[in-house]
């Protein structure tokens, strides 16, 4: 089970990276259009930027940034204060690890719950992106899924990770 969850966290991080890559491409294109417009502007030519660029970046980054949390948890990439527990007995390390994994899972589920509440409110209010006119609520889904996966990774580490076994 832990291996499946870890692979899913890897997939989320790769998908988040792909979204960031698209954001970089769109940003580069928009910046290039701005520079080109400044170059050809004196000649009476006009090169416009991408309409809705800011909307797209804001919506895309909102999910992509959260998609790295499960991978970071699966990699144990969070901050650990080993200095204080380096010489502690193994049962103490095990207990502290389980306590933090439980707290992490709880925080992730708490954030997922409030994101669901926010998504439902945004959906009921029919909020749309200003320029593109896209509904905002679907862009909550990757973040909610990432928070749930983050909690699942934390719980699976309690039973599948032999770090303090």
């Amino acid at each position: 089970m832990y291996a499946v969850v870890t692979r899913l966290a890897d997939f989320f991080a790769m998908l988040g990276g792909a979204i960031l890559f698209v954001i970089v491409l769109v940003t580069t294109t928009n910046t290039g259009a701005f520079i080109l417009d400044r170059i050809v502007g004196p000649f009476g030519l006009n090169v416009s930027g991408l309409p809705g660029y800011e909307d797209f970046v804001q919506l895309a980054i909102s999910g992509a940034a959260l998609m790295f949390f499960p991978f970071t948890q699966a990699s144990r990439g969070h901050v650990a204060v080993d200095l204080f527990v380096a010489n502690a007995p193994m049962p103490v390390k095990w207990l502290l690890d389980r306590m933090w994994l439980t707290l992490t899972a709880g925080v992730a589920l708490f954030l997922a719950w409030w994101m669901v509440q926010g998504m439902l409110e945004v959906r009921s209010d029919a909020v749309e992106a200003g320029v593109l006119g896209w509904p905002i609520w679907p862009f909550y889904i990757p973040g909610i899924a990432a928070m749930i996966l983050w909690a699942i990774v934390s719980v699976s580490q309690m039973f599948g990770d032999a770090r303090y076994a």
Side-chain angles (χ1 to χ4, degrees), residues 98-151:
R98 294 321 185 257
M99 287 173 37
W100 281 112
L101 289 170
T102 302
L103 179 64
T104 301
V107 166
L109 291 174
F110 176 79
L111 293 172
W113 167 258
W114 283 110
M115 287 181 70
V116 167
Q117 298 308 309
M119 180 186 70
L120 293 174
E121 184 174 335
V122 165
R123 186 172 181 214
S124 70
D125 292 343
V127 177
E128 295 179 344
V131 176
L132 295 174
W134 294 351
I136 301 249
W137 72 267
F139 292 90
Y140 278 72
I141 295 171
I144 293 168
M147 293 296 100
I148 292 169
L149 180 58
W150 185 20

Coordinates of all heavy atoms in Angstrom, one line a residue, residues 98-151:
R98 N 5.3 9.2 15.0 CA 3.9 8.8 14.9 C 3.0 10.0 15.3 O 2.0 10.3 14.6 CB 3.5 7.6 15.7 CG 4.1 6.3 15.2 CD 4.2 6.2 13.7 NE 4.7 5.0 13.2 CZ 5.9 4.7 12.7 NH1 6.8 5.7 12.7 NH2 6.2 3.6 12.2
M99 N 3.4 10.7 16.3 CA 2.6 11.9 16.7 C 2.6 13.0 15.6 O 1.6 13.6 15.3 CB 3.2 12.5 18.0 CG 2.9 11.7 19.2 SD 3.7 12.2 20.8 CE 3.7 13.9 20.7
W100 N 3.8 13.2 15.0 CA 3.9 14.2 14.0 C 3.2 13.8 12.7 O 2.6 14.6 12.0 CB 5.4 14.6 13.7 CG 5.9 15.5 14.7 CD1 6.8 15.3 15.6 CD2 5.4 16.9 15.0 NE1 7.0 16.4 16.4 CE2 6.2 17.4 16.1 CE3 4.5 17.7 14.4 CZ2 6.0 18.6 16.6 CZ3 4.3 19.0 14.9 CH2 5.1 19.4 16.0
L101 N 3.3 12.5 12.4 CA 2.5 12.0 11.2 C 1.0 12.2 11.4 O 0.3 12.5 10.5 CB 2.9 10.6 10.9 CG 4.3 10.3 10.4 CD1 4.6 8.8 10.4 CD2 4.5 10.9 9.0
T102 N 0.5 11.9 12.6 CA -0.9 12.1 12.9 C -1.3 13.5 12.8 O -2.3 13.9 12.2 CB -1.2 11.5 14.3 OG1 -0.8 10.2 14.4 CG2 -2.7 11.7 14.7
L103 N -0.5 14.4 13.4 CA -0.7 15.9 13.3 C -0.7 16.3 11.9 O -1.6 17.1 11.4 CB 0.3 16.6 14.1 CG 0.1 18.2 14.1 CD1 -1.2 18.6 14.8 CD2 1.3 18.8 14.8
T104 N 0.2 15.9 11.1 CA 0.3 16.3 9.7 C -0.9 15.8 8.9 O -1.5 16.6 8.1 CB 1.6 15.7 9.0 OG1 2.7 16.2 9.7 CG2 1.7 16.0 7.6
A105 N -1.3 14.6 9.1 CA -2.6 14.1 8.5 C -3.8 14.9 8.9 O -4.6 15.2 8.0 CB -2.8 12.6 8.8
G106 N -3.8 15.2 10.2 CA -5.0 16.1 10.6 C -5.0 17.4 10.0 O -6.0 17.9 9.6
V107 N -3.8 18.1 9.9 CA -3.7 19.4 9.3 C -4.1 19.3 7.8 O -4.9 20.2 7.3 CB -2.3 20.0 9.5 CG1 -2.1 21.2 8.6 CG2 -2.1 20.4 10.9
A108 N -3.6 18.3 7.1 CA -3.9 18.1 5.7 C -5.4 17.9 5.5 O -6.0 18.6 4.6 CB -3.2 17.0 5.1
L109 N -6.1 17.1 6.3 CA -7.5 16.9 6.2 C -8.3 18.2 6.6 O -9.3 18.5 6.0 CB -8.0 15.7 7.1 CG -7.5 14.4 6.5 CD1 -7.9 13.3 7.5 CD2 -8.1 14.1 5.2
F110 N -7.8 18.9 7.6 CA -8.4 20.2 8.0 C -8.4 21.2 6.8 O -9.4 21.8 6.5 CB -7.7 20.8 9.2 CG -8.2 22.1 9.6 CD1 -9.3 22.2 10.4 CD2 -7.4 23.3 9.3 CE1 -9.8 23.5 10.8 CE2 -7.9 24.5 9.7 CZ -9.0 24.6 10.4
L111 N -7.2 21.3 6.1 CA -7.1 22.2 5.0 C -8.0 21.7 3.8 O -8.7 22.5 3.1 CB -5.7 22.2 4.5 CG -4.7 22.9 5.5 CD1 -3.3 22.8 5.0 CD2 -5.1 24.4 5.7
A112 N -8.1 20.4 3.6 CA -8.9 19.8 2.5 C -10.4 20.2 2.8 O -11.1 20.6 1.9 CB -8.8 18.3 2.4
W113 N -10.8 20.0 4.1 CA -12.2 20.3 4.4 C -12.5 21.8 4.1 O -13.6 22.1 3.5 CB -12.4 20.1 5.9 CG -13.7 20.6 6.5 CD1 -13.9 21.7 7.2 CD2 -15.0 20.1 6.3 NE1 -15.2 22.0 7.5 CE2 -15.9 20.9 6.9 CE3 -15.5 19.0 5.6 CZ2 -17.3 20.7 6.9 CZ3 -16.9 18.8 5.6 CH2 -17.8 19.6 6.3
W114 N -11.7 22.7 4.5 CA -12.0 24.1 4.3 C -11.9 24.5 2.8 O -12.6 25.4 2.3 CB -11.1 25.0 5.1 CG -11.6 25.0 6.5 CD1 -11.0 24.5 7.6 CD2 -12.9 25.6 7.0 NE1 -11.9 24.6 8.7 CE2 -13.0 25.3 8.4 CE3 -13.9 26.2 6.4 CZ2 -14.1 25.7 9.1 CZ3 -15.0 26.6 7.1 CH2 -15.1 26.4 8.5
M115 N -11.0 23.8 2.1 CA -11.0 24.0 0.6 C -12.2 23.5 0.0 O -12.7 24.2 -1.0 CB -9.7 23.3 0.0 CG -8.4 24.0 0.4 SD -7.0 23.2 -0.4 CE -7.3 23.6 -2.1
V116 N -12.8 22.4 0.4 CA -14.1 21.9 -0.1 C -15.2 23.0 0.2 O -16.0 23.3 -0.7 CB -14.5 20.6 0.5 CG1 -15.9 20.2 0.2 CG2 -13.5 19.5 0.0
Q117 N -15.2 23.5 1.4 CA -16.2 24.5 1.8 C -16.0 25.8 0.9 O -17.0 26.3 0.4 CB -16.0 24.9 3.2 CG -16.3 23.8 4.2 CD -17.6 23.1 4.0 OE1 -18.6 23.7 3.8 NE2 -17.5 21.8 3.9
G118 N -14.8 26.2 0.6 CA -14.5 27.3 -0.2 C -14.9 27.0 -1.7 O -15.5 27.9 -2.3
M119 N -14.7 25.8 -2.1 CA -15.1 25.5 -3.5 C -16.6 25.5 -3.6 O -17.1 26.0 -4.6 CB -14.5 24.1 -3.9 CG -14.9 23.6 -5.3 SD -14.5 21.9 -5.7 CE -15.6 21.0 -4.6
L120 N -17.3 25.0 -2.7 CA -18.7 25.0 -2.7 C -19.3 26.4 -2.7 O -20.3 26.7 -3.4 CB -19.3 24.1 -1.6 CG -19.0 22.6 -1.6 CD1 -19.5 22.0 -0.3 CD2 -19.6 22.0 -2.9
E121 N -18.7 27.2 -1.9 CA -19.2 28.6 -1.9 C -18.9 29.3 -3.2 O -19.8 30.1 -3.7 CB -18.5 29.4 -0.7 CG -19.0 30.8 -0.6 CD -18.4 31.5 0.6 OE1 -18.0 30.8 1.6 OE2 -18.4 32.7 0.6
V122 N -17.7 29.1 -3.7 CA -17.3 29.8 -5.0 C -18.2 29.2 -6.1 O -18.7 30.0 -7.0 CB -15.8 29.5 -5.3 CG1 -15.5 29.8 -6.8 CG2 -15.0 30.4 -4.4
R123 N -18.6 28.0 -6.1 CA -19.5 27.4 -7.1 C -20.9 27.9 -7.0 O -21.5 28.3 -8.0 CB -19.5 25.9 -7.0 CG -20.3 25.2 -8.1 CD -20.1 23.7 -8.0 NE -20.9 23.2 -9.1 CZ -21.5 22.0 -9.1 NH1 -21.4 21.3 -8.0 NH2 -22.2 21.6 -10.1
S124 N -21.4 28.0 -5.7 CA -22.7 28.5 -5.6 C -22.8 30.0 -5.9 O -23.9 30.5 -6.4 CB -23.2 28.3 -4.1 OG -22.5 29.2 -3.2
D125 N -21.7 30.7 -5.8 CA -21.7 32.2 -6.2 C -21.4 32.3 -7.7 O -21.4 33.5 -8.2 CB -20.7 32.9 -5.4 CG -21.1 33.1 -3.9 OD1 -22.2 32.8 -3.6 OD2 -20.2 33.4 -3.1
A126 N -21.1 31.3 -8.4 CA -20.8 31.3 -9.8 C -19.7 32.3 -10.1 O -19.7 33.0 -11.1 CB -22.1 31.6 -10.6
V127 N -18.6 32.2 -9.3 CA -17.5 33.1 -9.5 C -16.7 32.6 -10.7 O -16.5 31.4 -11.0 CB -16.5 33.1 -8.3 CG1 -15.3 33.9 -8.5 CG2 -17.3 33.5 -7.0
E128 N -16.3 33.6 -11.6 CA -15.6 33.4 -12.8 C -14.3 34.2 -12.8 O -14.3 35.3 -12.2 CB -16.4 33.7 -14.0 CG -17.7 32.8 -14.2 CD -18.5 33.1 -15.4 OE1 -18.3 34.3 -15.9 OE2 -19.3 32.3 -15.8
A129 N -13.3 33.7 -13.6 CA -12.1 34.5 -13.8 C -12.5 35.8 -14.6 O -13.3 35.8 -15.5 CB -11.1 33.7 -14.6
G130 N -11.9 36.9 -14.2 CA -12.3 38.2 -14.7 C -12.2 38.3 -16.2 O -13.1 38.8 -16.9
V131 N -11.1 37.9 -16.9 CA -10.9 38.1 -18.3 C -11.4 36.9 -19.1 O -12.1 37.0 -20.1 CB -9.4 38.4 -18.6 CG1 -9.2 38.5 -20.1 CG2 -9.0 39.7 -17.9
L132 N -10.9 35.7 -18.6 CA -11.2 34.5 -19.4 C -12.7 34.0 -19.2 O -13.2 33.3 -20.1 CB -10.3 33.3 -18.9 CG -8.8 33.6 -19.2 CD1 -8.0 32.5 -18.7 CD2 -8.6 33.6 -20.8
G133 N -13.3 34.3 -18.1 CA -14.7 33.9 -17.8 C -14.8 32.5 -17.4 O -15.9 31.9 -17.5
W134 N -13.7 31.8 -17.1 CA -13.7 30.4 -16.6 C -14.3 30.4 -15.2 O -14.0 31.2 -14.4 CB -12.3 29.8 -16.6 CG -11.6 29.7 -17.9 CD1 -12.2 29.9 -19.2 CD2 -10.3 29.4 -18.2 NE1 -11.2 29.7 -20.1 CE2 -10.0 29.4 -19.6 CE3 -9.2 29.1 -17.3 CZ2 -8.8 29.1 -20.1 CZ3 -8.0 28.8 -17.9 CH2 -7.8 28.8 -19.3
P135 N -15.1 29.3 -14.9 CA -15.5 29.1 -13.5 C -14.3 28.8 -12.7 O -13.4 28.0 -13.1 CB -16.5 28.0 -13.6 CG -16.2 27.3 -14.9 CD -15.6 28.3 -15.8
I136 N -14.2 29.3 -11.5 CA -13.1 29.1 -10.6 C -13.1 27.8 -9.9 O -12.1 27.2 -9.6 CB -13.0 30.3 -9.6 CG1 -12.9 31.6 -10.4 CG2 -11.9 30.1 -8.6 CD1 -11.7 32.3 -10.3
W137 N -14.3 27.3 -9.5 CA -14.4 26.2 -8.6 C -13.7 24.9 -9.1 O -13.1 24.2 -8.2 CB -15.9 25.9 -8.3 CG -16.7 25.3 -9.4 CD1 -17.4 25.9 -10.3 CD2 -16.8 23.9 -9.7 NE1 -18.0 25.0 -11.2 CE2 -17.6 23.8 -10.8 CE3 -16.2 22.7 -9.2 CZ2 -17.9 22.5 -11.4 CZ3 -16.5 21.5 -9.7 CH2 -17.4 21.4 -10.9
P138 N -13.6 24.6 -10.4 CA -12.9 23.3 -10.7 C -11.4 23.4 -10.4 O -10.7 22.4 -10.2 CB -13.1 23.2 -12.2 CG -14.3 24.0 -12.6 CD -14.3 25.1 -11.6
F139 N -10.8 24.6 -10.3 CA -9.4 24.7 -10.0 C -9.1 24.4 -8.5 O -7.9 24.3 -8.1 CB -8.9 26.1 -10.4 CG -8.9 26.3 -11.9 CD1 -10.0 26.8 -12.5 CD2 -7.8 25.9 -12.6 CE1 -10.0 26.9 -13.9 CE2 -7.8 26.0 -14.0 CZ -8.9 26.5 -14.6
Y140 N -10.1 24.2 -7.7 CA -9.9 23.8 -6.3 C -9.7 22.3 -6.2 O -9.0 21.8 -5.3 CB -11.2 24.1 -5.5 CG -11.3 25.5 -5.0 CD1 -11.6 26.5 -5.8 CD2 -11.2 25.8 -3.6 CE1 -11.8 27.8 -5.3 CE2 -11.4 27.1 -3.1 CZ -11.6 28.1 -4.0 OH -11.8 29.4 -3.5
I141 N -10.1 21.6 -7.2 CA -10.1 20.1 -7.1 C -8.7 19.5 -7.0 O -8.5 18.7 -6.2 CB -10.9 19.5 -8.3 CG1 -12.4 19.9 -8.2 CG2 -10.7 18.0 -8.4 CD1 -13.2 19.5 -9.4
P142 N -7.7 20.0 -7.8 CA -6.4 19.4 -7.6 C -5.8 19.7 -6.2 O -5.1 18.8 -5.7 CB -5.5 20.1 -8.7 CG -6.5 20.6 -9.7 CD -7.8 20.9 -9.0
G143 N -6.1 20.9 -5.7 CA -5.6 21.2 -4.4 C -6.2 20.3 -3.3 O -5.6 19.9 -2.4
I144 N -7.5 20.1 -3.4 CA -8.2 19.3 -2.5 C -7.7 17.8 -2.5 O -7.4 17.2 -1.5 CB -9.7 19.3 -2.7 CG1 -10.3 20.7 -2.4 CG2 -10.5 18.2 -1.9 CD1 -11.7 21.0 -2.9
A145 N -7.5 17.3 -3.8 CA -7.0 16.0 -4.0 C -5.6 15.9 -3.4 O -5.2 14.9 -2.8 CB -7.0 15.6 -5.4
A146 N -4.8 16.9 -3.6 CA -3.4 16.9 -3.0 C -3.4 16.9 -1.5 O -2.6 16.2 -0.9 CB -2.7 18.1 -3.5
M147 N -4.3 17.6 -0.9 CA -4.4 17.6 0.6 C -4.8 16.3 1.1 O -4.3 15.8 2.1 CB -5.4 18.7 1.1 CG -4.9 20.2 0.8 SD -3.4 20.6 1.7 CE -2.2 20.5 0.4
I148 N -5.8 15.7 0.4 CA -6.2 14.3 0.9 C -5.1 13.3 0.7 O -4.8 12.5 1.5 CB -7.5 13.9 0.1 CG1 -8.7 14.8 0.5 CG2 -7.8 12.4 0.3 CD1 -9.9 14.7 -0.3
L149 N -4.4 13.4 -0.5 CA -3.3 12.5 -0.7 C -2.2 12.7 0.3 O -1.5 11.8 0.8 CB -2.7 12.7 -2.1 CG -1.5 11.8 -2.5 CD1 -1.9 10.3 -2.3 CD2 -1.1 12.1 -3.9
W150 N -1.9 14.0 0.7 CA -0.9 14.3 1.7 C -1.3 13.6 3.0 O -0.4 13.0 3.7 CB -0.9 15.8 1.9 CG 0.2 16.3 2.8 CD1 1.3 15.7 3.2 CD2 0.2 17.6 3.5 NE1 2.0 16.5 4.1 CE2 1.4 17.7 4.2 CE3 -0.7 18.7 3.4 CZ2 1.7 18.8 5.0 CZ3 -0.4 19.8 4.2 CH2 0.8 19.9 4.9
A151 N -2.5 13.6 3.4 CA -3.0 12.9 4.6 C -2.8 11.4 4.5 O -2.3 10.8 5.4 CB -4.4 13.3 4.9

